[in-house]
Amino acid sequence: MIKRRTVLWLAAAVLLGAVFAGCGNGGQTQKVKVGEVTRSVFYAPQYVAFEKGFFKEEGLDVELQTTSGGDKTMTALLSGAVDVALVGAETSIYVYQQGSDDPVINFAQLTQTDGTFLVSREDVGEFDWEKLKGSVFLGQRKGGMPQMAGEFTLRKRGIDPHQDLELIQNIDFANITAAFASGTGQFVQLFEPQASIIEREGKGHVVASFGTESGKLPYTVFMTKQSYIQDQPEVVQKFTNAVHKAQRWVQEHTPEETAETIAPFFKDTDQDILASSVKRYLEQGTYAETPALAEDAWNNLLDVMESAGELNERVELKKLADNRFAEKAVQSASAAAGR
């Protein structure tokens, strides 16, 4: 009887030890609900953070949901349906312009360039932006970063997007690729892996990168309400630490290794397509190497929004970004690497 009790006690002790070990840093696991604006290879470091256990290492239980669109993502954040949103930094400016008492604060940047590519239906040979004039262009949603960065690039190249071409903007984001594949438009603005898939199927050719053309931008950022940062600063710090670990991992590994790691999030996409997509983004410096938002990139964002007529006033970076968590995450990672 004593032996049986001893065995049961040992089993319970082992079970409790496993539970506490899984809580990270010897404490209770903290739940964080995240809403991503879409599911995209563009966000590869986020998925690496999940698959490599970086969130768990920080003692976080992160629940991810795809909220499909900037408006829906911001609504989910403001209503408390999610704690953190992964969406374009412009959405925080829109909330600020509406006079919110609890502004949305950017705390960890994930991507630092536009993620779309210009795809031509025909093989145009050596590409010249002048070839867009008079064409039918399948663009993105008005007021969203893809469309604003696209129009910004066109204007830089001497093209008025509303006068020099036929601009289509009434197709939902999720249906743009299918619309182009079925014959709508001569040119289209696509993210990866859709651009690579269209190429593979022989339905289009990638001819230019809007990411390269529009310059550095705080394009996709983890953000939360100011009240959440005030109430949960340790959670925000742990979250940012995990993001930065993933950023470093992506920079230090091959596109093929990253593709293999994030594959569970893209079960319907071939490995080679994932790898080519990651490779394109790495080559043009799309994935941010640090979570901190840079002032010059923020000012470029304001220029892009101003050019699109979507900015009421220029907002200083410090009003809508808190880089304390990013800076501490980078310092901690550097110190750990130097040991």
Side-chain angles (χ1 to χ4, degrees):
M1 185 68 176
I2 294 175
K3 182 180 289 186
R4 185 169 181 272
R5 286 178 180 173
T6 302
V7 170
L8 289 172
W9 183 87
L10 286 171
V14 170
L15 180 60
L16 285 171
V19 169
F20 284 114
C23 289
N25 300 329
Q28 187 175 1
T29 300
Q30 293 162 295
K31 185 92 169 179
V32 181
K33 293 178 290 184
V34 176
E36 60 174 2
V37 65
T38 188
R39 178 61 50 87
S40 176
V41 181
F42 193 41
Y43 310 144
Q46 173 185 235
Y47 311 125
V48 167
F50 279 101
E51 290 300 308
K52 291 299 175 182
F54 296 144
F55 288 125
K56 287 184 178 179
E57 285 178 7
E58 293 292 333
L60 300 179
D61 177 13
V62 180
E63 175 188 299
L64 180 66
Q65 57 183 281
T66 304
T67 37
S68 301
D71 294 345
K72 291 180 181 178
T73 304
M74 190 51 62
T75 298
L77 180 63
L78 295 176
S79 68
V82 299
D83 303 309
V84 172
L86 176 63
V87 66
E90 81 284 356
T91 58
S92 66
I93 296 176
Y94 291 147
V95 172
Y96 176 82
Q97 288 182 161
Q98 292 169 5
S100 173
D101 293 331
D102 192 5
V104 173
I105 305 299
N106 301 277
F107 67 87
Q109 178 173 260
L110 193 71
T111 62
Q112 61 183 5
T113 75
D114 183 281
T116 60
F117 297 86
L118 178 62
V119 179
S120 169
R121 184 174 303 284
E122 304 297 331
D123 184 354
V124 295
E126 187 174 346
F127 178 69
D128 187 318
W129 289 88
E130 288 288 315
K131 292 181 179 180
L132 267 69
K133 289 187 174 180
S135 69
V136 180
F137 186 95
L138 183 49
Q140 301 276 339
R141 178 181 62 85
K142 184 181 185 301
M145 272 308 299
Q147 183 61 31
M148 290 193 293
E151 291 191 14
F152 185 72
T153 295
L154 293 177
R155 290 190 178 97
K156 276 177 55 179
R157 289 290 183 170
I159 300 169
D160 185 326
H162 298 281
Q163 298 293 330
D164 295 335
L165 45 79
E166 183 183 337
L167 181 61
I168 300 175
Q169 291 182 277
N170 61 351
I171 297 176
D172 290 341
F173 175 82
N175 297 322
I176 290 175
T177 305
F180 183 75
S182 65
T184 301
Q186 294 165 270
F187 292 90
V188 66
Q189 188 178 352
L190 294 178
F191 283 92
E192 287 287 12
Q194 287 76 20
S196 290
I197 292 171
I198 284 289
E199 277 197 314
R200 173 191 271 191
E201 294 176 348
K203 295 177 179 177
H205 309 266
V206 174
V207 295
S209 162
F210 285 104
T212 300
E213 292 287 332
S214 57
K216 292 287 181 67
L217 295 162
Y219 200 87
T220 322
V221 184
F222 288 106
M223 59 186 71
T224 188
K225 291 185 287 188
Q226 189 174 64
S227 58
Y228 188 83
I229 290 178
Q230 292 169 346
D231 294 342
Q232 303 283 355
E234 290 184 3
V235 173
V236 176
Q237 186 62 66
K238 291 174 182 179
F239 191 95
T240 308
N241 293 345
V243 169
H244 187 46
K245 287 178 185 178
Q247 289 175 325
R248 288 168 61 96
W249 193 96
V250 170
Q251 295 297 328
E252 293 167 0
H253 291 77
T254 66
E256 289 74 20
E257 289 171 315
T258 297
E260 183 179 357
T261 300
I262 68 174
F265 288 88
F266 301 92
K267 293 180 180 178
D268 296 327
T269 305
D270 292 344
Q271 279 291 121
D272 59 334
I273 289 290
L274 287 179
S276 69
S277 301
V278 171
K279 184 172 184 289
R280 267 195 176 128
Y281 283 139
L282 281 170
E283 286 176 345
Q284 68 179 31
T286 288
Y287 300 129
E289 297 181 31
T290 163
L293 283 77
E295 190 161 4
D296 57 346
W298 180 264
N299 289 333
N300 191 34
L301 168 65
L302 299 181
D303 291 342
V304 169
M305 294 181 69
E306 204 166 47
S307 175
E310 299 290 346
L311 190 66
N312 295 342
E313 62 174 294
R314 295 184 73 87
V315 188
E316 291 181 290
L317 173 66
K318 63 183 180 181
K319 284 189 176 181
L320 294 180
D322 191 338
N323 277 329
R324 292 176 300 161
F325 306 101
E327 290 165 357
K328 188 173 180 180
V330 171
Q331 290 170 0
S332 298
S334 299
R339 288 173 189 164

